[in-house]
Amino acid sequence: QLGFYLAATAFHFLEERRKDFLVMVFHHGCTCVLVAGSYHLSLHRIGALVLLLREPSDILLHGTKMAAFFGRQDWATLLFATLMLSWVVLRLIMHPAVVMRSAYYDSWNFAGPAYHEAHYGRWFAFNALLASLAPLDWYYFAIAVGVSWRRLRTGRLEDPRERKAKAG
């Protein structure tokens, strides 16, 4: 999975830039550091939860895009509705309530003072990166709500990020 996020980050520099280029690079960069950091800091369960809660939405997102690309608006709409539900449950509710809570409170209590004396700076940075994913999830949820609204008005699913970003 780390390889996937590294490749996704690299491809942002090779593909045509979208309006959310910097946000997406930051998001993938955070995820790369979190996955690698979870191994380095022996927070394997947290790293696994980060991936477990993010992957279903990513799969549904790509499925929605493929259905729209092939002109299957019925499938695109169904997949998009499922994506929205998974996004709310997994990223907006479970990420803060389970992953962030566990990484901050449970890891502190489980590891003990000796661990935190040796790793406090890295532990703090890890938790800061976890916390930085939450506003990004809300940012992309707001975009998805806009897509939903346009779907209701026009009958088409269109990604507003697809429009080219202005150069410079």
Side-chain angles (χ1 to χ4, degrees), residues 57-69 75-76 79-80:
S57 299
D58 290 345
I59 291 167
L60 290 166
L61 174 65
H62 294 297
T64 301
K65 287 181 175 185
M66 285 189 341
F69 177 79
W75 278 99
L79 288 167
F80 187 74

Side-chain angles (χ1 to χ4, degrees), residues 30 34 43 46-47 50 54 95-96 99-104 124-135 137:
C30 279
L34 283 169
L43 298 172
I46 303 300
V50 167
R54 297 196 165 276
H95 175 77
V99 178
M100 289 172 59
R101 183 188 146 283
S102 182
Y104 186 76
F124 182 81
F126 184 82
N127 279 284
L129 287 173
L130 268 178
S132 72
L133 288 179
D137 289 338

